[in-house]
Amino acid sequence: MNPAFGKCYLVGAGPGDLGLVTLRAKECLEKADVIVYDYLSNPQMLRWARPEVEAIYAGKKAKDHSIPQGGINQLLIEKAKQGKEVVRLKGGDPFVFGRGGEEAQELREAGIEFEIVPGITSVLAGPAYAGIPVTHRDHNAEFTIFTGHEDPTKGETSIDWKSMAQRPGTKVFLMGVERIGAIADALMEQGADRETPVAMIRWATTARQQTLLGTLGDIAKKVKAAHFQAPAITVVGPVAQLREQLQWFETRPLFGKRIVVTRTRKQAGELSRQLEELGADAYELPTIRIEDPLQMEDFGYLVKDTHTYDWLIFTSPNGVDRFFDLFFKIYHDARSLGGVRIAAMGPGTANAIRKYRFAVDLLPVEYVAEGLLEAFKNEGVENLKMLWVKAEETREVLFEGLSEQGAIIDRAIAYRTVPETQDVSGGMARFREEGADLITFTSSSTVEAFLALKLPLPESLQIASIGPITSKTLRQNGLYVDIEAREHTMPGLVRAIREHYQPEVEEA
């Protein structure tokens, strides 16, 4: 191996659910210079990558290859020869019908060092998420995996259909939606019972999952009637009937709801994950990103002098992170903060402060600027020096209100929000193509940046807001707010969305 070359990681992306991605896969993505990802890889995995990563889509669908396999092989070799750390991200497991073996051979011949990172295959995860165990003591003691790409009607085939039909146990095949009729006929012609249960699982382990039940004798007709399309896996055998007892994934309260998350790329994951745990198909369309303030030096001086203030006020987690990142570059001892008391706008901001092992002295009942002003009235702030850590553009309610109460307040501009122009996660493209059931907004800046994108809004699209200030901005722009969180936090927003779609039935 040439030491000047980089290394290529053939990484299994798992079946789709981010929770099923291995820790090793995440580590590889975090350090990659180049990521070559395919159609079945969850694009949200790209948020784990460094901002400067080169992400290349090499998806392959039936009869539609963005880059032919030979081109992918050469791309991996070319990037690695440039000394880069390359991740080839493949849906499921790279060695289970993923052509990972072929890519590894090409890399070895080119003198490129490589590592195989196995992934959870949809062969196992898909049936499990549909409530189907591939083995069960009462039904079978073995299962067989094969590819549905093989056409049983062609002259030559590598599959022994007679042996397959007569072999006991569960049969699982991938990528066979277009050929389901021919595959079912081949099995029945070789002796398989036409009443054998069949389950087909589309977009397994994601909130787009669909499960279609039938038998070998009627599954092809059901596929056509339901317009059932790839990607899907198929389970053949008595275990398919157990879905009626064991299904769990498709019964969650937000299952199948397409919900757009507009927070920054770095922050979107928190909200997405909470929604996904309730079954939502949450996809990210970051509308803003956080950048340094234009006057970074001024911010630095105020951070340096924090110990001279009586109160330190934070109104967002972003402000907290920006402040302490700079504070610990200036000082190496947390005690340098002095005796300043700390106020937080809401629980999210308070939790961000506690992450740095500082206590919060003041948290308002209502998590808006007006609520914080009311809390300070009870404290008494006349002639006290205050440092407000804030974004570049925010409402001046807090500054004006504290000044009226007699406080001496300085504003430390910690960051600015700017429109996100890149579609790294593919959220913009998906919104244009598919729309959504609901879009969430967690600040006025996300609203304004989203509207600046001028994306077409589906007529049925509903809107969820984290609180009254964000709702006001939505209404000022002519939009109707369908859901507003009573508690202006991420959990509060998630709770409001759940209640909207699944209101609690009052007991008689």
Side-chain angles (χ1 to χ4, degrees):
M1 302 295 175
N2 190 325
F5 292 168
K7 184 175 179 179
C8 185
Y9 300 83
L10 302 177
V11 177
D17 184 344
L18 282 183
L20 300 182
V21 178
T22 66
L23 290 173
R24 181 58 180 156
K26 186 172 183 287
E27 289 171 355
C28 293
L29 289 166
E30 288 171 340
K31 67 179 181 179
D33 299 308
V34 180
I35 299 174
V36 181
Y37 64 102
D38 72 13
Y39 174 58
L40 295 178
S41 301
N42 188 332
Q44 291 188 37
M45 294 173 69
L46 297 178
R47 72 164 179 253
W48 295 328
R50 294 178 296 136
E52 64 271 20
V53 74
E54 182 182 5
I56 302 171
Y57 177 66
K60 292 187 286 183
K61 307 179 191 178
K63 303 176 184 177
D64 181 14
H65 295 190
S66 62
I67 304 177
Q69 184 61 48
I72 293 174
N73 297 342
Q74 290 306 308
L75 178 64
L76 300 179
I77 292 169
E78 174 191 329
K79 295 297 181 182
K81 283 187 173 180
Q82 294 172 5
K84 296 180 178 180
E85 297 284 285
V86 182
V87 166
R88 171 69 172 114
L89 194 59
K90 305 172 76 66
D93 181 279
F95 278 9
V96 180
F97 301 119
R99 303 189 75 169
E102 299 169 43
E103 293 174 355
Q105 286 177 310
E106 294 280 347
L107 291 165
R108 175 56 54 85
E109 290 179 12
I112 306 296
E113 184 182 0
F114 63 86
E115 178 182 325
I116 309 299
V117 181
I120 294 177
T121 172
S122 60
V123 169
L124 302 176
Y129 271 52
I132 301 170
V134 292
T135 65
H136 191 286
R137 251 171 52 163
D138 295 338
H139 297 283
N140 68 306
E142 65 177 67
F143 72 97
T144 305
I145 306 168
F146 64 102
T147 174
H149 267 319
E150 283 273 1
D151 186 351
T153 63
K154 70 181 184 181
E156 295 182 4
T157 176
S158 60
I159 296 176
D160 183 346
W161 291 99
K162 182 176 181 180
S163 175
M164 186 72 69
Q166 297 178 3
R167 190 174 188 87
T170 304
K171 301 166 185 66
V172 181
F173 61 89
L174 308 178
M175 306 171 288
V177 175
E178 292 183 347
R179 296 186 177 90
I180 186 62
I183 292 171
D185 287 345
L187 291 171
M188 289 187 291
E189 286 169 6
Q190 297 299 331
D193 188 342
R194 65 180 292 107
E195 296 303 318
T196 303
V198 176
M200 298 186 72
I201 307 144
R202 182 172 187 258
W203 285 115
T205 80
T206 74
R208 290 188 279 174
Q209 179 173 302
Q210 293 175 284
T211 305
L212 182 67
L213 298 178
T215 65
L216 280 177
D218 65 13
I219 191 64
K221 289 182 180 178
K222 288 188 173 183
V223 165
K224 185 175 181 180
H227 302 289
F228 199 82
Q229 298 178 331
I233 64 172
T234 304
V235 181
V236 180
V239 293
Q241 298 177 103
L242 296 176
R243 168 177 164 77
E244 294 181 6
Q245 301 172 45
L246 303 180
Q247 64 171 305
W248 60 276
F249 184 67
E250 295 168 45
T251 59
R252 295 181 299 169
L254 297 182
F255 182 77
K257 298 298 181 185
R258 296 169 301 166
I259 302 180
V260 176
V261 175
T262 59
R263 301 189 81 197
T264 67
R265 182 182 170 194
K266 181 180 178 181
Q267 296 173 312
E270 175 195 350
L271 179 55
S272 297
R273 195 64 193 162
Q274 290 183 47
L275 293 169
E276 287 167 352
E277 286 177 356
L278 294 173
D281 176 12
Y283 69 93
E284 296 169 8
L285 196 166
T287 58
I288 59 172
R289 66 175 183 272
I290 304 301
E291 292 191 351
D292 289 336
L294 295 175
Q295 304 298 328
M296 191 67 182
E297 189 175 352
D298 291 348
F299 179 47
Y301 281 127
L302 289 168
V303 172
K304 182 176 179 291
D305 292 339
T306 302
H307 62 278
T308 67
Y309 288 87
D310 299 295
W311 279 98
L312 177 60
I313 304 169
F314 293 104
T315 49
S316 73
N318 282 319
V320 173
D321 291 336
R322 291 280 167 155
F323 175 90
F324 283 111
D325 180 61
L326 187 54
F327 177 83
F328 285 114
K329 287 178 180 176
I330 298 171
Y331 297 107
H332 301 291
D333 188 337
R335 289 173 295 184
S336 299
L337 196 66
V340 64
R341 300 176 71 190
I342 300 176
M345 176 86 85
T349 303
N351 288 336
I353 294 166
R354 294 184 186 112
K355 184 174 66 178
Y356 294 95
R357 300 295 187 267
F358 286 95
V360 175
D361 300 288
L362 185 66
L363 185 68
V365 175
E366 189 178 2
Y367 311 140
V368 292
E370 289 81 357
L372 194 53
L373 282 175
E374 191 63 30
F376 272 121
K377 274 185 183 179
N378 298 328
E379 290 287 325
V381 298
E382 189 171 1
N383 294 323
L384 295 183
K385 286 184 65 179
M386 296 183 154
L387 182 63
W388 174 22
V389 180
K390 63 187 289 291
E392 186 174 66
E393 293 184 7
T394 55
R395 296 190 307 147
E396 290 298 307
V397 172
L398 195 59
F399 178 83
E400 293 167 358
L402 288 172
S403 297
E404 288 176 5
Q405 291 181 34
I408 303 163
I409 182 168
D410 289 328
R411 290 168 285 196
I413 310 300
Y415 64 96
R416 57 199 178 101
T417 58
V418 299
E420 178 59 83
T421 55
Q422 295 183 328
D423 190 21
V424 176
S425 66
M428 290 184 200
R430 185 177 174 191
F431 189 80
R432 286 191 184 96
E433 294 171 10
E434 301 178 21
D437 298 299
L438 179 74
I439 186 167
T440 63
F441 294 102
T442 56
S443 66
S444 293
S445 57
T446 59
V447 174
E448 292 160 353
F450 174 79
L451 293 174
L453 295 173
K454 299 187 183 302
L455 295 170
L457 300 182
E459 286 186 14
S460 60
L461 181 70
Q462 293 190 307
I463 295 174
S465 162
I466 198 168
I469 306 305
T470 303
S471 297
K472 181 179 178 182
T473 303
L474 285 161
R475 294 187 182 103
Q476 287 174 340
N477 284 278
L479 297 175
Y480 181 79
V481 178
D482 300 277
I483 304 168
E484 182 180 291
R486 289 191 295 273
E487 180 184 305
H488 317 318
T489 63
M490 292 303 131
L493 179 58
V494 172
R495 191 158 44 248
I497 292 170
R498 176 173 182 164
E499 291 171 357
H500 176 76
Y501 284 112
Q502 195 180 65
E504 294 183 7
V505 179
E506 293 184 2
E507 292 184 4

